[in-house]
Structures are given as structure tokens and as C-alpha cells.
Amino acid sequence: MLRHLRKKVVSMPATQILPVDKASIQIVGDTVTVSDETTLRHLARAAESVKVPGSVVAFPTETVYGLGGSALNDQSVKAIYTAKRRPADNPLIVHVSGVEQLERIIMSQLHRIPKIYEKLIDKFWPGPLTILVPLEAQCPVLGLVTTGQDTVGIRVPEHAVARALIAMSDTPLAAPSANASTRPSPTLATHVQHDLDGRIPCILDGGACAVGVESTVVNGLCTPPMILRPGGVSVDDIKQYGGAEWRHVITAKKSAGKSEPVRTPGMKYRHYSPTAKVVLFTGCGDGVTAVANYMAGRPEKVAVLRSLHFASAHDMGLQPVLERSMGTSCSEVARNLFRDLRDADEAGVDLILVEAVDEEGDGLAVMNRLSKAASETVTG
Ligand code: TXA
Ligand code: MG
């Protein structure tokens, strides 16, 4: 007898976007007060959800959107890796609501926050700074989070929605950026939806992220201390406010071999990559000559992302599908960078021509992301 076998199609429900208003949230210690009724309902729902094993929630931070699940539950951590399609040897940052929660849940009587971080924590927490602390035997953070490293990355986000979510659930959240692996990090809820729709139940939508690039990751457990990833706190600020030990901080190299453990964020994997080819122009002044030379004989559809010095695309003799000024200061470029790369990609271009910024101050974090996104660099 012939039987028609129907393939079972499992369709995931669409991801829900839950608006929240950060201005309506007040946090004192771990006590959260929310004046807006919708924000309270959505936060409470997300806070209940992250306590359920295997459940994840996307949420805004001041840097980029994160995809959070309990750092103490292996089903939740697995769900993060699965939703993002992230390689399982790239460790996750654990987000806590403050030093109190860190000491109560993650550290122990014997195992204190290393002294070398004291001044940095006072100055930059809550904020875009991730520190590595030693992974002690009694630490409840799962090996799946740290992927075999002997340290755990910890951060206290400044964004009221993120901190309220962690405080209300009283759950330390393992949370990578909420993009699909290899894509630019999300700075709007719609970016998360674009990458993860149907793969996660909900996104708390708190609007655009103010910093726009991820946290600075520092390792104070080695000598000299190291910046593993430049980010929202500049190297100059670390040197200025960290105390004597941080004055000679070094910045880790940018790439690692395939078999090396991932000691430095993003060293070994493709990162921040739109589908279109990104070409980075450094030291090319107004760009008119360099871009014209580069584009000679190329019929591709292009986008132009300018920063400080580039002339208009019209002056370069181009008719781009999309043209953006990312900003006139490095912090403004940082805020707009991922959004503009994503928008250029959505516009269906073949090439994204991007003007570099100086690798100083906030420019270091921008150039770190841009040099990973670019497959070609034109130097003036
Ligand atoms: O701003 C941020 O840090 C955002 C928001 C959501 O908080 N999160 C973020 O996470 O950027 P993710 O997973 O996309 O990047 C974290 C990086 C990874 O590349 C990982 O290699 C590194 O931090 N990392 C985490 N724990 C580490 C550890 N124990 N040792 C070395 N690197 C670590
Ligand atoms: Mg990431």
C-alpha cells in the first residue's frame, strides 16, 4: 500500500517585540520601581521567562542588544548558542545587576573580586566594561559559558532595562550580542528580529543603544594586564582611572589560529560581516581620488559610509544606492556603525565603501570592528 508521507513542518511562532520605556524604570540597589504599566508587564514577563530552563530573551544594553539566558542553567546556555548559531568554544559574558549580586551568587567567601579591578569597577560599573575573574571550583557558572577558559567574563550593564531584568529575575544572565553569529551586532530591536525571528520568543524593545559597540573586555589576571577587546570604555580611560597597574596595559593581537583557544574575543571567527563586501579606506583624505581609482571599471551597486573627511558621493562621481554620514566624532560613528552597515546590506548593494577613523580614543573600538568587517583595505 502506498502511503503519502507528509513531511512534518515545525513552524516556530514569530518573535514578539515587547516595547519598554527605560525612563520609567528606577533602580536603587536591587529594588526596581517601574512607573509605566506596559513596561512593568513586559519586564515582569521577561524576568519570569529567563528563570525557566531553556528560555532566552533579547534585551537592550547601552552597548548593543544581548541575548540572555540563565548563566546557571545548561539548557538556557545551550539555547543561546543554538539561536545564534554560535561556535561552542567562544565564551559568553555573564551580566549581573551589581557587585552585590556578583558576590552573593557567583563569587564566594574565599573567592573575592581581584583587587586590581577595584578602581575600574568604581569608575565604570555599571557601564561598558567586562572584567575576567578566576573560575573557582565552587563557582556556579557553567563550563558551557566559559568554554574551558579558567576565567569568567563579568559585566554590569548600565541600561535600566538590562539591570531591571537581571535584578527582577535575580538571575545572572549569560548574554552574547543578539545577532546571528558573524553578523554585525544589533543596536535596534529590529536588527535582532531580522537575524533571530522565529528562533527566540521575544525581544524587549528599548530603542537604540547609546554606545553602539560592545563592552571593553579586560584581563587583569595576567602581567601586564591586557585589553582583550577595545569597546565602550577607551584604553586611555582604563589607563587614567585603573590605577598604577593599568598604566602599562597592552592590547591583545587581533587574530588567533584555528586550534588556539579563544583567549581574545572574536580573534578567530568571522565577525561583523554584512553580506556585501566591505572596503575600508584609510588615510584617503576626501576620498575623491582613492574612491574613483578603486571604482574604475567596477559596475557594482555601492553604499558609501562617510565619517570625518570624505566628500559627498556625488563629488566622488558615484551614484550610490545608499549614502550615510556615520558621524563627525568617533563616539557618534561608534553609535551608528552597525546600523549603517546593516542598512547598506538591506539596500542590496555589492560593495560598502567605508571611511576609516583614527585609531585613537573611541576610534580604536570602531577600527577594531571595521577591520574585521572589511575584506579589503585601500590605504591613501
Ligand atoms: O557589550 C557587550 O559586551 C555585549 C552586551 C550584550 O553586553 N555582549 C557581547 O558579547 O558583546 P559577545 O558574546 O558577543 O562577546 C563577548 C566576547 C566574546 O568574543 C568572548 O570571546 C569574550 O567576550 N569572552 C567572554 N568570556 C571570556 C573569557 N572568560 N575569556 C576570554 N574572552 C572572553
Ligand atoms: Mg558578539
Side-chain angles (χ1 to χ4, degrees):
M1 191 172 62
L2 277 178
R3 293 175 90 187
H4 289 287
L5 289 176
R6 275 241 186 102
K7 213 174 170 188
K8 200 174 163 200
V9 179
V10 184
S11 65
M12 293 267 275
T15 299
Q16 270 191 294
I17 297 214
L18 308 175
V20 280
D21 173 16
K22 73 171 177 187
S24 73
I25 304 169
Q26 272 212 318
I27 306 172
V28 180
D30 262 7
T31 308
V32 180
T33 318
V34 184
S35 58
D36 174 60
E37 192 263 326
T38 306
T39 301
L40 178 60
R41 190 159 28 88
H42 289 164
L43 265 175
R45 179 173 150 189
E48 275 312 304
S49 177
V50 291
K51 289 195 275 187
V52 177
S55 183
V56 294
V57 168
F59 61 96
T61 81
E62 70 281 14
T63 57
V64 300
Y65 275 73
L67 180 62
S70 169
L72 314 179
N73 183 277
D74 62 349
Q75 289 176 56
S76 303
V77 181
K78 275 186 194 142
I80 295 171
Y81 282 102
T82 307
K84 272 185 67 95
R85 300 185 172 95
R86 178 179 175 111
D89 62 347
N90 196 4
L92 306 177
I93 294 170
V94 177
H95 297 64
V96 291
S97 56
V99 168
E100 186 280 325
Q101 191 187 62
L102 173 59
E103 290 182 336
R104 178 167 47 87
I105 304 185
I106 295 181
M107 318 295 282
S108 69
Q109 288 301 325
L110 299 172
H111 171 206
R112 315 298 302 180
I113 303 171
K115 234 181 151 18
I116 186 162
Y117 295 122
E118 218 166 65
K119 291 195 167 76
L120 289 178
I121 288 176
D122 280 351
K123 178 75 186 168
F124 298 113
W125 273 8
L129 177 74
T130 297
I131 63 169
L132 299 194
V133 302
L135 181 68
E136 303 286 319
Q138 62 276 54
C139 176
V141 170
L142 296 166
L144 215 50
V145 173
T146 56
T147 67
Q149 309 282 323
D150 50 10
T151 55
V152 195
I154 307 277
R155 152 162 144 78
V156 178
E158 191 265 338
H159 198 294
V161 172
R163 277 174 68 215
L165 174 65
I166 301 164
M168 287 165 73
S169 58
D170 199 22
T171 304
L173 294 182
S177 49
N179 51 292
S181 198
T182 82
R183 302 274 305 151
S185 295
T187 55
L188 287 170
T190 48
H191 297 162
V192 182
Q193 188 183 34
H194 177 277
D195 282 15
L196 303 181
D197 197 21
R199 303 182 66 83
I200 59 172
C202 67
I203 306 166
L204 290 173
D205 181 356
C209 300
V211 177
V213 291
E214 302 89 337
S215 61
T216 301
V217 182
V218 296
N219 184 359
L221 307 175
C222 54
T223 314
M226 251 200 208
I227 300 211
L228 299 185
R229 176 177 69 183
V233 175
S234 74
V235 178
D236 294 340
D237 279 350
I238 303 265
K239 286 182 179 166
Q240 185 177 346
Y241 296 105
E245 296 102 318
W246 292 93
R247 249 162 243 149
H248 303 291
V249 64
I250 54 171
T251 303
K253 63 174 184 166
K254 282 182 188 157
S255 58
K258 281 214 166 65
S259 59
E260 286 180 58
V262 183
R263 292 223 172 270
T264 300
M267 276 203 327
K268 148 171 152 176
Y269 299 107
R270 249 184 82 218
H271 243 80
Y272 311 119
S273 309
T275 314
K277 175 177 171 179
V278 176
V279 184
L280 183 60
F281 290 79
T282 66
C284 295
D286 66 8
V288 173
T289 312
V291 171
N293 286 345
Y294 183 81
M295 288 305 296
R298 288 179 207 256
E300 289 102 334
K301 286 191 282 180
V302 298
V304 177
L305 307 184
R306 292 186 274 121
S307 53
L308 300 177
H309 308 297
F310 260 22
S312 70
H314 177 267
D315 289 347
M316 294 171 177
L318 296 178
Q319 285 191 307
V321 178
L322 177 139
E323 178 176 9
R324 288 274 169 82
S325 166
M326 296 186 291
T328 50
S329 68
C330 287
S331 56
E332 209 185 331
V333 174
R335 184 154 56 245
N336 295 325
L337 177 69
F338 289 141
R339 184 202 63 193
D340 289 345
L341 284 173
R342 280 178 175 266
D343 286 352
D345 228 12
E346 288 293 289
V349 299
D350 306 304
L351 286 178
I352 307 176
L353 311 180
V354 188
E355 181 190 351
V357 297
D358 283 342
E359 247 174 322
E360 278 165 20
D362 293 330
L364 185 65
V366 170
M367 285 302 289
N368 170 276
R369 307 321 186 257
L370 272 178
S371 51
K372 285 179 183 153
S375 41
E376 193 174 347
T377 300
V378 174
T379 311

